[in-house]
Amino acid sequence: MTQATVRPDQGFTLIELVVALGLCLLLFGSAVALLQVHVPLAQAQPRRADIQQRGRAATDLLVSELSTAGAWADAGGIGLGLAGRIPVLHPRRLGLRGADPTGTARPDVITVVRAAFRTTPARLQLPVVSGVLSLKTGSGCPSSIPLCGFGEDDDVLVMDEEGRHDFFRLGVVAATTAPLTLRQAAPSYPFPSGVVATRVETRTFYFDATARQLRHYDGYRSDVPVIDDVVGVRFEYWGTRGAPTLGLPVVAGQSSCWFDSAGLPRFGRPVTAPGEADVPLGLDEFRDGPWCGAGDNVFDADLLRIRRVRVVARLRAASPVARGPSPDYADSGSASSAVSLIPDLEVISEVTPRALTAGY
């Protein structure tokens, strides 16, 4: 038997090399094709998660804040709630810096007024023109607690039954008094002794079109972004068709913004019937009167009719490579692949603050 001799320099034939090269090119092309699909998908996933997370954060924040509008103390005190006496939802910016003029009603801003947590309302011992806060003891304000628990840097609301009200910032508390600083440009109304004073919080949320942000202002000095890459925010309102029964006088013989001392409605509207459906309230209804309050806090009485708010917020993908050039995007981008496109996200929520429906 003859044995084949293997030469040490024997290699692949040309045909074998061509076949091997073809297979390598085929595998490489398949890998490139997979990468072209999956890399944009991998890049889009965190961007898609980010816009969803910001949408949830915007919804949770606004629903939580708006639902507390007009909330009152849970520690007792004077039985005179905020809702029905003054607006607890304003379609304008309130505060010391950049406040909108009275009579303003904007679709992209809302200010929430609420009682501070565990506050005890009290009545003035001295007229507010004295420039200091001095409170009467009794009626829910124990003499053992200095200044009824009010503290330095608290925001204080002083209001009467007619709807006149002003906001102040409290200074260093002594035993029975503390200096008051106005949180507005115009002078305060000269509130006499005996009117209500309570600790409050105001929260203004507004859309900054230039920075593309939803921002929060505390009514004094803090103005900060809370949600980035927002391309639109709109607040819509529903309320009573007639005079709001929350505005009825608490004590017989007293009057309020909507009702006279006999309990009869002013401004030509009948009293809202129990169970009557809410109606849409356009912003024009908050600009044309009838007017209540005084000074920088004059307000359209129709604000007291508000019972429900709808919030519509639109957000964009943070990166321009995830946005397309079509009109479906508020801000066009430079996306080159349909796989990487992330549409603008619109979130809609409705809020009915409990304080605005009490007694219905």
Side-chain angles (χ1 to χ4, degrees), residues 67-87:
S67 64
T68 63
W72 197 238
D74 59 358
I78 298 166
L80 181 64
L82 300 180
R85 296 296 175 269
I86 66 169

Side-chain angles (χ1 to χ4, degrees), residues 41 47 66 80 122-123 127 149 160 172 183 225-226 239 258 266 304 315:
L41 281 174
R47 293 168 182 159
L66 296 182
L80 181 64
R123 295 192 180 273
D160 65 15
V172 178
R183 237 187 47 177
V226 290
W258 263 100
R266 301 165 172 165
L304 299 177
L315 298 90

